[in-house]
Amino acid sequence: LFKFHQNLQQENRDFLTATHEQRMTNAQEQNQRLRQFRRDLFISIFGIPSSSPPAKQPQASSKQPTPAES
């Protein structure tokens, strides 16, 4: 029973790790698509590319709000 429980815990950890990695990948791809959509929308409305450079990708675990977000 103890061995079964250990195996179950390990399988659970493995599943959660794989799921987390998939979700992070999907979130990054969605973020890229949203940024591109916003750039395209800005260009379609104003006819010029936005003057601000593309924002850097925030680190997943240590995102600090910028002064503009505060």
Side-chain angles (χ1 to χ4, degrees):
L1 187 60
F2 179 72
K3 186 68 174 168
F4 172 76
H5 186 260
Q6 281 183 326
N7 288 339
L8 189 60
Q9 283 183 324
Q10 183 62 42
E11 288 176 12
N12 188 35
R13 278 191 293 271
D14 294 344
F15 172 76
L16 291 176
T17 299
T19 302
H20 173 73
E21 291 170 359
Q22 278 182 329
R23 288 182 180 184
M24 288 302 295
T25 300
N26 290 344
Q28 289 170 348
E29 290 172 0
Q30 187 176 24
N31 186 28
Q32 289 269 338
R33 288 191 304 268
L34 180 59
R35 287 182 185 279
Q36 186 61 48
F37 172 78
R38 287 179 177 165
R39 281 190 288 266
D40 294 344
L41 182 61
F42 186 89
I43 290 170
S44 72
I45 292 172
F46 297 107
I48 55 172
S50 62
S51 60
S52 62
K56 292 182 180 179
Q57 292 289 330
Q59 295 294 327
S61 60
S62 62
K63 183 173 188 262
Q64 300 268 336
T66 61
E69 293 176 329
S70 302

